[in-house]
Amino acid sequence: MGDTVTSIRPYWKNFIGGEWVDGTGNERIVVTDPATGAPIAEVARAMPADVDQAVAAARRCFDSRALAAMRPHQRGEMMLEVARQLDELADDIATVECFDNGKTMAAGHADIALTRRYLSYYAGMADKLEGRQIPLGEGVLDYTTHMPFGVSAQIVPWNGPLPVGARSITCALLTGNTVVLKSPEDSPLSLFLFAEACERAGVPKGAVNILCGYGHDTGAALVAHGDIDHIVFTGSVETGRSVLRAASERIIPCIMELGGKSGGIVYPDADLDRVAKSAARAIFHHAGQICSAGSRLIVHRSIHDDLVARLKGEAETRTIGPGIDGCDMGPLISARQLDRVESLCRVGVEEGATLVTGGSRLAGRPGHFMAPTLFSGVRPEMRIAREEFFGPVLVVLPFDTPDEAIAIANGTDYGLAAGVYTNDLRLAHWTADRLVAGQVYVNDWWTGGVETPFGGTKRSGYGREKGQEALLGYVQTKNVGIRLSP
Ligand code: NAD
């Protein structure tokens, strides 16, 4: 272990009711460094009994009206203080992101900056979420207010735990909800540091509860708990289905942020150098482990070979290694994920796609490193064109007409992000209009920020995180009608 690894605390407890506690089963989850496979820390394994305690703490805090009694701007100031405390912990957070998640130090610091932006953006909105007065004629006063749901149960995946978890917690607290969040078992540490920032900032005890356990028991117990009022789930479609089944028992409202197979369309007039750079960033950033990664490129046949050659250059010049070394691309999160990505690559070869580069793990070294991979000549019906790799694999599909490009882009079960590259303004708008996706990027990928609503269509889920729209997912509207006349 290097010096930086040894600076990571060896044991982490769950944060329940404002206290740091062991799991009731006294078991631990070992957290490993995906770049080496070596253990770096242990966390207390939360069991369903710990979920009970966390939900009870969140309920007590909600019923105490500790958050309801604060004016919205005071809740905003509370979250700004959390942001200040995060700054104090920034180096620790970047280090754990590097060692339990495989991110580069730069990406770890970028996650902290992003998290601060969520906190400050929503802190500024806390006192601007207004109801409306509805004119019903003389003698009646009618207005709407926004009510919190109560206890918000939140489940987070391993690829971006800090920003994904922090944005949901922030929206929940600012609207007066309390939270129980299950952090991902593969990369739980950064959210414990977020809990520490909440503790230092004086967030009321029980308003934020963060625990780590496995999905099949602890996660399942949380979403099926009889005393939660709201669910925010970010993860795979398969798990999302099981969360929705549990939610349906008690008619619990959900925000579902699920997977993607997002495609960018490249028309022949696009600047191919820029497209290659943008498309490579869209799939190789964080080794493709991003729900909105640009994992398909739908390319006009006249420029297919030229663009594929440029993309090959982009893939083969990326440096790969542990995040702490400042390489371009780190490892996949786990051996299981590496096996999955590699086996789907084998399917691509069997299906007859052309493997241009990559296609397998980096042999002869520890850790879960996958080579940046490019397939060309892919057809829409192939599994590699329809299934999410969640790894650094780009598939290129040729098209002849704009209608065909749209049909290919919209032709999967997913509908998270989409893109279009062209210098023709009319064609860009026409294409954006026809793409069925929660967000469309033109002439780049990830043009948005915390200000822009983000979410899925179709099997990519529903509800929006980010932007002004997100806050509305954490409140329900109440209408009050008053007869004024005697
Ligand atoms: P996953 O569905 O396996 O796990 C996500 C979380 O759910 C984990 O915390 C896990 O412990 C928990 N979980 C597992 N089984 C559960 C159950 N039965 N009940 C409740 N919780 C359970 O997903 P993953 O492999 O960790 O993450 C990758 C997936 O997440 C990809 O599909 C990716 O596209 C998606 N994702 C989506 C977004 C988005 O904003 N749309 C963001 C990040 C990741």
Side-chain angles (χ1 to χ4, degrees):
M1 277 187 198
D3 285 348
T4 322
V5 183
T6 52
S7 73
I8 295 178
R9 243 169 260 175
Y11 178 52
W12 303 64
K13 297 183 180 188
N14 293 306
F15 186 64
I16 296 179
E19 310 291 333
W20 294 95
V21 295
D22 294 310
T24 47
N26 268 324
E27 289 182 36
R28 296 182 178 196
I29 294 175
V30 177
V31 183
T32 57
D33 176 357
T36 62
I40 54 162
E42 292 182 334
V43 299
R45 176 181 174 188
M47 305 295 279
D50 300 292
V51 170
D52 291 343
Q53 292 187 8
V55 173
R59 173 62 58 197
R60 274 194 306 278
C61 181
F62 184 76
D63 289 347
S64 76
R65 304 191 65 75
L67 292 174
M70 297 167 81
R71 285 184 61 171
H73 79 87
Q74 292 173 313
R75 286 183 224 141
E77 281 154 21
M78 174 180 83
M79 296 318 287
L80 289 177
E81 185 53 32
V82 174
R84 275 188 284 276
Q85 295 301 329
L86 273 183
D87 281 344
E88 302 285 315
L89 296 167
D91 286 338
D92 289 348
I93 295 173
T95 304
V96 303
E97 288 287 48
C98 208
F99 285 102
D100 83 344
N101 198 299
K103 286 186 193 260
T104 61
M105 282 301 262
H109 279 287
D111 270 7
I112 299 162
L114 175 63
T115 302
R116 286 192 97 276
R117 281 288 295 129
Y118 281 125
L119 286 157
S120 61
Y121 179 79
Y122 288 112
M125 274 185 69
D127 55 0
K128 296 168 193 71
L129 190 62
E130 297 169 347
R132 60 195 181 103
Q133 188 266 317
I134 299 165
L136 290 180
E138 198 175 317
V140 179
L141 173 63
D142 193 285
Y143 60 88
T144 62
T145 61
H146 296 301
M147 295 183 287
F149 286 98
V151 176
S152 176
Q154 306 187 350
I155 307 261
V156 174
W158 45 263
N159 63 325
L162 179 69
V164 170
R167 73 186 181 199
S168 304
I169 292 174
T170 301
C171 287
L173 296 187
L174 287 172
T175 46
N177 299 276
T178 58
V179 175
V180 179
L181 180 146
K182 191 198 82 64
S183 61
E185 56 271 39
D186 285 322
S187 62
L189 304 186
S190 58
L191 278 168
F192 285 132
L193 289 167
F194 185 80
E196 193 170 322
C198 291
E199 182 186 33
R200 290 186 187 188
V203 172
K205 286 180 189 299
V208 175
N209 304 273
I210 296 187
L211 41 79
C212 179
Y214 293 109
H216 67 274
D217 51 8
T218 307
L222 176 56
V223 295
H225 198 284
D227 203 22
I228 61 159
D229 306 297
H230 178 247
I231 294 175
V232 184
F233 175 77
T234 308
S236 62
V237 175
E238 192 188 346
T239 311
R241 279 199 186 95
S242 103
V243 169
L244 283 172
R245 276 193 291 273
S248 72
E249 286 297 319
R250 295 184 49 246
I251 322 290
I252 301 293
C254 298
I255 298 171
M256 304 300 284
E257 294 280 5
L258 307 178
K261 187 76 181 174
S262 303
I265 297 174
V266 189
Y267 288 114
D269 68 323
D271 174 339
L272 296 194
D273 267 338
R274 286 183 57 180
V275 175
K277 286 199 177 352
S278 167
R281 184 175 74 98
I283 188 62
F284 299 135
H285 181 68
H286 198 21
Q289 301 166 104
I290 297 185
C291 53
S292 53
S295 51
R296 294 183 298 152
L297 212 52
I298 301 150
V299 179
H300 193 267
R301 202 176 298 279
S302 65
I303 53 168
H304 175 273
D305 293 353
D306 188 350
L307 185 55
V308 165
R310 292 169 201 246
L311 290 165
K312 180 173 188 280
E314 290 289 334
E316 292 179 349
T317 50
R318 275 181 155 64
T319 57
I320 304 165
I324 195 70
D325 293 348
C327 296
D328 296 329
M329 208 177 88
L332 298 186
I333 189 71
S334 62
R336 178 178 48 92
Q337 185 62 12
L338 181 61
D339 289 345
R340 226 190 122 254
V341 172
E342 214 181 26
S343 84
L344 196 48
C345 284
R346 281 196 294 275
V347 169
V349 173
E350 284 158 23
E351 285 178 316
T354 304
L355 178 61
V356 179
T357 186
S360 57
R361 68 190 66 204
L362 297 191
R365 63 182 300 168
H368 317 305
F369 292 97
M370 179 74 197
T373 297
L374 179 65
F375 280 100
S376 69
V378 176
R379 293 190 307 278
E381 67 276 13
M382 291 179 177
R383 275 181 61 196
I384 60 166
R386 290 181 289 112
E387 294 183 19
E388 187 184 36
F389 279 91
F390 219 55
V393 183
L394 178 64
V395 301
V396 180
L397 300 96
F399 74 88
D400 292 304
T401 67
D403 282 332
E404 189 190 356
I406 300 284
I408 295 172
N410 291 340
T412 74
D413 286 344
Y414 295 106
L416 191 53
V420 48
Y421 296 88
T422 175
N423 288 317
D424 180 336
L425 194 59
R426 185 201 59 77
L427 190 57
H429 282 296
W430 180 86
T431 305
D433 184 51
R434 275 159 183 76
L435 287 169
V436 182
Q439 35 279 310
V440 177
Y441 310 119
V442 179
N443 286 335
D444 205 352
W445 203 261
W446 294 317
T447 52
V450 305
E451 308 88 341
T452 51
F454 178 89
T457 64
K458 303 195 285 183
R459 244 62 93 224
S460 293
Y462 50 81
R464 292 293 178 266
E465 297 283 10
K466 304 188 184 182
Q468 296 183 22
E469 284 80 355
L471 274 190
L472 295 173
Y474 292 79
V475 289
Q476 45 201 337
T477 300
K478 179 192 283 183
N479 180 254
V480 180
I482 304 172
R483 173 74 57 203
L484 297 175
S485 50

